[in-house]
Amino acid sequence: MMDDQDRIRRIARQHVRTDELLGVSFMPVAGRQEDAVPTPVSQPVMVSSPPVPSPRPLPRSSSSELSAAAKRPSGPAPSGPLSRQQKLDILAAMNADEVVSCTKCDLCRTRIQTVFGEGDPDTPLLFVGEGPGQTEDEQGRPFVGRAGELLNKMIVAMGLGREQVYIANVVKCRPPNNRPPTPVEVDACSGYLLRQIATLRPKVIVTLGGPATKLLLSTSQGITTIRGTWHQFNGLQPEGPIIPVMPTFHPAYLLRAYTEDNRRKVWSDLQKVMQKIKGESETK
Ligand code: URA
Ligand code: SF4
């Protein structure tokens, strides 16, 4: 079985190759708009490679202790390193016991279903979007519409598979007509995201677009100014780590403003993320 070091090295090599050969590889260069329409993802992508250790059941006591911690609405971050299974248990309990039936804001009135988030609980890389769109609302999974297809391409261009990262949103219910969530809605919902982050403890967070960036960096700076440079998420302090954050454009924005300049900017942001993940794995 490949260990983490091998995996990261392979990813890094693939990343360099992709970069050299294709430049802005996840999006073809200007003038070929039709290529911007990504190939549909036909399968749910929570599958296979690299092999994921099969979940080992936890002793009852620790599992229920942890779900108790997860149930605390805005309680402290779980402390200490968690096993993969513990993370899965905490996240599943938060979703099943709180999020699916949540009525903390008015978005509950118009949603079809909540969209909790998904991915590898041991991932070094968390993407945070804004909120579900129509397809996500219908399917109950994050980033499965057009923006999601582009996000998948971005992830692949980084040498990763979608199943190797974690994807979540600021709000878990669809804002009607895809409007941005209001400050009241963000405020009502953000505790879930913060607890997801506290559980996952990723090495790096990529915020996609304005709302995620504003929330996690407590900034009012616009995404155009703030993207492309490293910032810090301090929300787990003092018990938890400071997590580096790379803000970049939301893929839905990229689809609307599909210029070579914007694509290069996003690709450059993602390259910085890969460097950071590689650096983290080497210093271990
Ligand atoms: N846009 C988002 O911000 N999140 C999704 O899950 C889908 C589209
Ligand atoms: Fe609850 Fe968040 Fe949905 Fe509002 S958006 S109802 S806070 S889960």
Side-chain angles (χ1 to χ4, degrees):
M1 265 236 307
M2 252 193 292
D3 67 15
D4 276 355
Q5 290 280 342
D6 286 343
R7 199 163 120 194
I8 299 283
R9 266 195 291 273
R10 183 180 57 81
I11 289 164
R13 270 199 308 273
Q14 189 171 345
H15 150 71
V16 168
R17 219 174 298 138
T18 308
D19 192 10
E20 280 169 357
L21 292 175
L22 302 169
V24 201
S25 61
F26 64 93
M27 290 166 291
V29 277
R32 298 183 55 202
Q33 272 290 339
E34 70 280 9
D35 288 341
V37 182
T39 18
V41 179
S42 51
Q43 291 286 321
V45 280
M46 308 305 298
V47 285
S48 62
S49 93
V52 171
S54 49
R56 257 164 282 134
L58 279 178
R60 280 233 162 264
S61 59
S62 56
S63 148
S64 53
E65 251 170 61
L66 283 157
S67 8
K71 275 179 200 140
R72 258 178 261 135
S74 53
S79 57
L82 298 169
S83 72
R84 178 184 188 83
Q85 189 59 46
Q86 286 172 324
K87 293 180 188 180
L88 288 170
D89 287 347
I90 290 173
L91 296 170
M94 195 195 318
N95 187 30
D97 302 344
E98 299 177 63
V99 175
V100 292
S101 56
C102 181
T103 55
K104 290 203 287 179
C105 83
D106 280 348
L107 295 181
C108 71
R109 298 171 188 269
T110 43
R111 73 179 176 223
I112 299 171
Q113 59 190 312
T114 55
V115 178
F116 182 74
E118 66 185 24
D120 180 354
D122 284 335
T123 188
L125 179 53
L126 168 66
F127 287 93
V128 180
E130 182 173 319
Q134 183 181 355
T135 319
E136 290 77 19
D137 190 33
E138 286 164 3
Q139 294 188 24
R141 297 179 56 215
F143 281 96
V144 286
R146 273 193 87 217
E149 288 166 1
L150 183 50
L151 178 62
N152 290 349
K153 286 191 166 187
M154 287 158 52
I155 294 168
V156 168
M158 294 170 85
L160 294 165
R162 179 169 156 132
E163 74 286 350
Q164 291 173 287
V165 304
Y166 200 95
I167 305 174
N169 282 305
V170 170
V171 292
K172 311 305 188 203
C173 304
R174 181 191 182 199
N177 305 314
N178 301 336
R179 64 161 172 75
T182 65
V184 170
E185 290 155 0
V186 171
D187 201 45
C189 207
S190 57
Y192 298 132
L193 176 64
L194 300 184
R195 285 159 63 203
Q196 284 174 305
I197 298 173
T199 307
L200 297 165
R201 297 204 177 193
K203 294 278 178 280
V204 176
I205 299 175
V206 173
T207 51
L208 300 166
T213 305
K214 289 190 166 106
L215 174 68
L216 295 189
L217 300 182
S218 307
T219 179
S220 55
Q221 269 190 287
I223 186 67
T224 315
T225 350
I226 204 173
R227 61 140 284 281
T229 52
W230 285 108
H231 298 265
Q232 292 182 337
F233 173 66
N234 295 316
L236 305 185
Q237 292 278 291
E239 308 88 25
I242 290 172
I243 302 177
V245 174
M246 176 58 69
T248 195
F249 290 135
H250 194 289
Y253 166 76
L254 214 46
L255 286 172
R256 288 197 303 274
Y258 200 72
T259 64
E260 189 169 346
D261 187 43
N262 283 342
R263 280 176 280 158
R264 284 195 187 285
K265 283 176 177 158
V266 172
W267 183 226
S268 145
D269 302 348
L270 297 180
Q271 284 175 294
K272 290 176 188 167
V273 171
M274 291 312 294
Q275 284 298 327
K276 177 77 88 184
I277 292 173
K278 197 174 134 217
E280 294 271 349
S281 78
E282 275 164 5
T283 53
K284 272 202 195 132

